[in-house]
Amino acid sequence: MDLKKTIKEWMLPIAMVTGASIYLLYHILPEPVHRAGPFLSSAVAVLQPLLIFSMLFLTFCRIEPKDLKLHRWHWWLLLIQGGSFVVLGLLAVWFIGSSQADKYDKVVLIESAMLCLICPTATAASVVTRKLGGDVAGITTYTVLINFLTALLVPMVVPLIHPMQGMDFATGFCVIVAKIFPLLILPCLAAWLVRYLLPKLHKRLLDYPDMAFYLWAIALTLAMTVTTKSIVQSSPSISRLLAMGFISLLCCAFQFAAGRFVGGRYSPRRMDVSPEAEERGRAVRTVTAGQSLGQKNTVFAIWMGYTFMTPETAIIGGLYSIWHNCYNSWQLYRAGKSKK
């Protein structure tokens, strides 16, 4: 058996288990070791954005600007994400105004679902989409769109649930844009500058098609370490943790299914292509739309939970991360088997 090929097929579960194990091992080590905690946290805070920037830079190097086009399925996915977020926000406001004794618990769970639904597409989604045979340009376009929709809707809806002094719409919008701009727009601009100004370097970078995948594996390991830390340190009750785990699983299943449904349904009849070509196009859109809606930037969800909502909701990003990475692992395994 080819060890390198086996490791590559199981890269996601290996990264997930490794990331969780790193923090659990650190957690049980003696107290003197914990003094290095602030330094390690600072190192991860620097290394993680660098990995994401590099991964996106390599991905954008493979996309020509003219390939970034709007598609009909983009608008349907934006409607699903934005509409469900607004409806749940209004439901949370209704519970806050009610006299129910357990309204706090219900609002926390609704906020958790809101985070799962409005959370933007993962920056690594393009890497998985390419591995699955999807449209990298299509998912990249949607990633930009949903990030800006998130920046618009969160400052509009969340203050209805959590009024924050000094946090008006403009401030909230700027805070979110400042968070996403360096890791979304700058890699795109840098890649296009290299494409047109340094064509030889650009051609050399294209010779390493799997580099972004390996960078993502390292970034996923760090993300799972941060996820495990957030779950352990928040110490929610077992019942609350189970409820949030179920909500994150439900949201994950719904969004992957809804995305794949929209992608599969959007298949305009073209007279100039064969039925086989139409079927291939439908398969590409199904994968692309499913990853666009289902694979989330869960580190961003954790940050949004701490910044805009009840801090306890931050762990929902970590729980969602487990589900969507398990599903991606299964998809990549199945895709690898189908190629044999």
Side-chain angles (χ1 to χ4, degrees):
M1 182 178 292
D2 189 342
L3 180 60
K4 182 179 179 181
K5 189 174 182 179
T6 302
I7 292 176
K8 191 173 180 179
E9 286 181 352
W10 293 91
M11 184 69 76
L12 267 70
I14 290 172
M16 292 171 64
V17 173
T18 301
S21 301
I22 288 174
Y23 182 78
L24 292 176
L25 177 62
Y26 166 81
H27 187 67
I28 64 175
L29 288 175
E31 181 63 30
V33 179
H34 292 181
R35 296 173 185 170
F39 169 77
L40 295 174
S41 296
S42 300
V44 170
V46 172
L47 183 58
Q48 203 168 28
L50 288 176
L51 287 169
I52 294 173
F53 183 97
S54 301
M55 177 182 62
L56 281 177
F57 170 75
L58 291 172
T59 300
F60 280 122
C61 281
R62 296 183 171 276
I63 302 174
E64 293 191 30
K66 65 180 182 180
D67 293 334
L68 296 178
K69 302 175 182 177
L70 289 172
H71 300 282
R72 193 178 304 170
W73 60 265
H74 285 151
W75 304 114
W76 281 108
L77 297 195
L78 290 173
L79 179 62
I80 291 172
Q81 282 199 255
S84 58
F85 176 75
V86 172
V87 169
L88 286 178
L90 295 176
L91 182 62
V93 172
W94 182 82
F95 271 115
I96 290 173
S98 71
S99 58
Q100 298 185 31
D102 60 345
K103 65 180 181 180
Y104 174 79
D105 293 333
K106 292 180 178 178
V107 170
V108 169
L109 295 179
I110 292 172
E111 287 182 359
S112 299
M114 291 172 67
L115 280 174
C116 290
L117 292 167
I118 197 59
C119 183
T121 306
T123 49
S126 57
V127 178
V128 180
T129 300
R130 187 173 70 85
K131 286 287 183 182
L132 296 174
D135 178 12
V136 176
I139 196 171
T140 301
T141 303
Y142 184 76
T143 302
V144 175
L145 293 172
I146 188 56
N147 271 279
F148 279 100
L149 181 65
T150 300
L152 286 172
L153 287 183
V154 170
M156 292 173 61
V157 176
V158 172
L160 300 176
I161 308 170
H162 292 286
M164 290 181 287
Q165 187 175 4
M167 183 68 79
D168 55 12
F169 171 78
T171 304
F173 178 82
C174 292
V175 167
I176 296 176
V177 169
K179 187 76 174 178
I180 64 176
F181 180 81
L183 297 182
L184 186 64
I185 307 301
L186 289 183
C188 176
L189 297 178
W192 290 346
L193 285 174
V194 169
R195 172 184 290 272
Y196 294 115
L197 299 182
L198 300 170
K200 291 184 178 179
L201 175 60
H202 178 260
K203 185 178 180 181
R204 185 71 180 271
L205 291 172
L206 297 181
D207 292 335
Y208 303 95
D210 290 329
M211 181 62 68
F213 181 73
Y214 292 120
L215 290 175
W216 175 51
I218 299 172
L220 177 59
T221 301
L222 295 178
M224 287 305 301
T225 303
V226 174
T227 292
T228 307
K229 176 184 176 182
S230 69
I231 294 174
V232 171
Q233 291 189 349
S234 62
S235 300
S237 64
I238 297 298
S239 59
R240 178 68 59 78
L241 185 60
L242 289 174
M244 297 178 80
F246 176 74
I247 286 173
S248 60
L249 175 59
L250 190 63
C251 290
C252 184
F254 164 72
Q255 291 183 104
F256 271 111
R260 293 180 66 86
F261 174 79
V262 170
R265 283 294 297 272
Y266 175 62
S267 182
R269 182 73 179 172
R270 292 179 57 186
M271 304 302 296
D272 58 333
V273 298
S274 65
E276 293 79 10
E278 282 192 20
E279 188 61 33
R280 286 195 299 270
R282 183 185 295 109
V284 168
R285 286 188 295 273
T286 298
V287 168
T288 308
Q291 295 304 125
S292 296
L293 198 57
Q295 188 173 347
K296 301 292 189 178
N297 185 351
T298 52
V299 175
F300 188 77
I302 293 172
W303 172 79
M304 279 203 300
Y306 280 125
T307 305
F308 295 100
M309 296 186 175
T310 305
E312 189 177 355
T313 61
I315 66 172
I316 200 72
L319 296 171
Y320 192 100
S321 176
I322 296 171
W323 304 127
H324 84 180
N325 281 304
C326 285
Y327 182 65
N328 282 338
S329 299
W330 177 75
Q331 287 190 107
L332 290 171
Y333 174 78
R334 188 180 63 173
K337 288 296 183 182
S338 65
K339 293 178 180 179
K340 292 182 180 180

